[in-house]
Amino acid sequence: MADLYSPVYRSFLWQLQTTEGGLLLIGGICDEMLLPALEHRRRQLPHVSFADIHDAYELDAHLSGYLEALGTDIAVLGASVFVPSTFSRSGGIIGSPCQSPASAPPIAMLEILPDGFFLWTQPGGPGVAFRADQSTRDWVAIELRELIGLPVAEQAEHIRHLLQTRKVSPHLIVCDGSGPDGHCWIAVADDLREIVFSST
């Protein structure tokens, strides 16, 4: 007999600190049945240090490796971290934990994730993951392209407004938190609520 269970997706967003006192935001979207287990996993996370990490790729790889302890059964996961003395914009990751980590492509693009989610990434961010039907997805992709080139913080707010206006839920928006013009910021929403954390 086929499994007729259709998950109800819920958002989560945690505000943590690195060992050095930098802000670390972790957010995502998961099956609501997973939330208690996920909260337990969060409490088991060790303190994380980014001391002596200033390379953009190494910073994001370190952040991605740290999040592996949360598991691969989360639909979409993202993080933004502020690390001082980072020489290029970085410190933001977003995607499906069941897929291998990869850097943002050199040009903005829309990717298909499992379970009806889509991922929009671009160099320097922000990155966006959302669940939508094909028609809504296509409109969102067109409108996201029109925002390319805006300052990161401004672009993130425009994306947030776009997804709210088009009633796209659930969704997750993540900015790079470190380096020049870094903006340690995450917004995540489901059908019940929206949560936004920011360093400012």
Side-chain angles (χ1 to χ4, degrees):
M1 182 173 181
D3 182 6
L4 300 178
Y5 175 72
S6 179
V8 174
Y9 290 103
R10 292 289 172 248
S11 58
F12 61 90
L13 184 49
W14 307 321
Q15 186 173 1
L16 309 174
Q17 276 194 328
T18 68
T19 302
E20 298 78 34
L23 180 62
L24 170 59
L25 303 175
I26 302 172
I29 300 162
C30 68
D31 183 332
E32 69 175 348
M33 302 294 286
L34 183 63
L35 284 173
L38 199 53
E39 180 58 28
H40 176 74
R41 294 176 202 172
R42 181 192 69 81
R43 290 193 301 267
Q44 302 302 311
L45 285 173
H47 292 293
V48 62
S49 172
F50 291 87
D52 302 321
I53 296 179
H54 307 293
D55 173 76
Y57 178 81
E58 188 181 354
L59 195 162
D60 287 349
H62 188 62
L63 183 57
S64 179
Y66 177 69
L67 296 183
E68 286 179 1
L70 293 175
T72 59
D73 47 0
I74 303 166
V76 174
L77 184 63
S80 180
V81 63
F82 172 69
V83 177
S85 303
T86 304
F87 304 122
S88 57
R89 195 186 313 158
S90 59
I93 60 173
I94 187 171
S96 170
C98 68
Q99 296 181 327
S100 298
S103 298
I107 58 169
M109 66 178 293
L110 191 69
E111 303 171 57
I112 299 172
L113 298 180
D115 303 317
F117 283 87
F118 299 96
L119 178 65
W120 169 267
T121 54
Q122 57 184 317
V128 187
F130 61 94
R131 195 165 193 262
D133 59 37
Q134 184 172 340
S135 175
T136 303
R137 176 204 70 184
D138 293 344
W139 277 111
V140 167
I142 290 169
E143 293 177 79
L144 287 172
R145 287 194 183 281
E146 293 174 357
L147 300 174
I148 294 173
L150 291 176
V152 174
E154 186 179 342
Q155 193 174 160
E157 286 295 345
H158 277 290
I159 293 170
R160 183 178 164 215
H161 178 71
L162 162 65
L163 297 178
Q164 288 173 337
T165 301
R166 290 207 169 267
K167 298 184 178 2
V168 176
S169 177
H171 66 256
L172 172 66
I173 311 166
V174 175
C175 293
D176 285 334
S178 304
D181 300 317
H183 184 52
C184 193
W185 184 96
I186 287 184
V188 63
D190 58 34
D191 292 337
L192 297 180
R193 62 180 183 167
E194 180 194 38
I195 319 168
V196 181
F197 279 171
S198 175
S199 58
T200 55

